[in-house]
Amino acid sequence: MDFTGKVALITGASSGIGAATAETLAKYGANVAIVGRNAGNLKETEKKCKAANANIVCLPIIADVTTDAEKIVNEVIGKFQRLDVLVNNAGILAMGGLMDIDIEQFDNVLNTNVRAVFTLSKLSVPYLINTQGNIVNVSSVAGLRSFPGALSYGVSKAALDQFTKCLSLDLAKENVRVNSVNPGVVITEIHKRGGGMSEQEYANYLERSKGTHAMGRVGNVFEVAETIAFLASSKASFITGALVPVDGGKHAMCPR
């Protein structure tokens, strides 16, 4: 996969799947604009991108996707004068069923996981049309399957999947592709941050999760990042509107 001369914008790039995606696209030659709220972590991602490929340009943007979409896109275009790939990765996890949560949690999750994606995509699409670029959204197996105790998150990811499919049809005539990846359990900080798990609780969760994935293990961030890179590359030139599970078979399993 060769992204030489192309520009990729990755949100939520200060950790987890976003950081791995930035590093992976840099490895393949893309100039990367990395967005996050944590300046220190974003600096670490920048270092890893430059270590992966000293020839690329990395633009760190400290911003919140829920409020700073216009600033983000303006900085990318101001720096590079083009945009080829938008990776909508920024997202949050929150736990609780209907009777456990309040409207503030629901709004916060939907604003981050869906509304921000809508806004960034809308602002980016004119530039993606110019470059015949594409969008990759980072969804979840929770968008494909239902799980108890995470209502806001599941609704947001199901909405994101439908957004992917609808937008792919709207933009097909422009030759702009739109796809999603739907990870299963992947080792990141999201469960400890959004799920309120302690280190020991998270370790126990990962151990239990081995049994909920057909391949008998959880995933790592680079397995998701490489799939994102493939979907963003010319090798996926006839793929649009796809929801690609990267979940060790979790989406195909049923309780027995």
Side-chain angles (χ1 to χ4, degrees):
M1 292 183 283
D2 185 8
F3 288 87
T4 303
K6 295 186 182 298
V7 175
L9 167 59
I10 305 105
T11 66
S14 56
S15 63
I17 291 170
T21 300
E23 186 178 341
T24 299
L25 291 174
K27 176 182 70 174
Y28 291 128
N31 297 314
V32 290
I34 54 174
V35 180
R37 293 178 296 176
N38 187 307
N41 287 354
L42 208 59
K43 193 69 177 175
E44 286 301 309
T45 301
E46 181 183 13
K47 289 178 183 176
K48 290 178 181 178
C49 289
K50 294 296 290 183
N53 189 337
N55 297 317
I56 62 98
V57 176
C58 181
L59 173 66
I61 303 172
I62 301 170
D64 185 332
V65 293
T66 64
T67 56
D68 299 326
E70 192 168 351
K71 168 194 170 182
I72 291 166
V73 174
N74 285 344
E75 286 199 27
V76 173
I77 300 306
K79 177 70 174 180
F80 298 108
Q81 290 78 54
R82 65 180 292 150
L83 178 62
D84 299 89
V85 179
L86 170 62
V87 180
N88 284 308
N89 167 73
I92 57 174
L93 170 67
M95 305 305 292
L98 179 66
M99 302 308 292
D100 307 312
I101 65 175
D102 53 29
I103 192 67
E104 286 77 18
Q105 187 210 89
F106 187 79
D107 284 347
N108 190 31
V109 173
L110 270 290
N111 280 341
T112 304
N113 293 2
V114 184
R115 190 179 186 276
V117 173
F118 171 91
T119 307
L120 267 172
S121 299
K122 185 175 179 63
L123 293 171
S124 298
V125 158
Y127 302 103
L128 296 173
I129 291 173
N130 287 342
T131 60
Q132 300 287 272
N134 66 86
I135 298 171
V136 183
N137 296 319
V138 179
S139 183
S140 168
V141 68
L144 304 173
R145 295 291 182 268
S146 304
F147 303 98
L151 180 72
S152 301
Y153 186 73
V155 168
S156 74
K157 292 304 186 178
L160 180 58
D161 286 346
Q162 187 70 345
F163 177 79
T164 294
K165 292 187 284 186
C166 290
L167 187 59
S168 73
L169 300 183
D170 289 345
L171 296 180
K173 63 183 179 296
E174 305 288 355
N175 201 36
V176 173
R177 300 180 298 106
V178 187
N179 294 292
S180 282
V181 292
N182 294 68
V185 176
V186 175
I187 299 173
T188 67
E189 296 295 310
I190 193 170
H191 288 93
K192 286 183 279 188
R193 286 200 306 258
M197 293 185 185
S198 67
E199 289 289 345
Q200 187 57 54
E201 287 170 335
Y202 187 54
N204 294 341
Y205 172 71
L206 293 179
E207 187 62 31
R208 288 197 311 274
S209 294
K210 292 178 181 179
T212 63
H213 294 66
M215 293 182 69
R217 66 174 178 87
V218 298
N220 70 70
V221 290
F222 286 99
E223 291 175 307
V224 182
E226 290 286 355
T227 307
I228 293 170
F230 166 73
L231 289 171
S233 78
S234 60
K235 293 185 181 296
S237 57
F238 203 48
I239 301 175
T240 197
L243 312 178
V244 182
V246 189
D247 68 351
K250 184 177 175 72
H251 75 283
M253 296 178 67
C254 292
R256 295 185 64 180

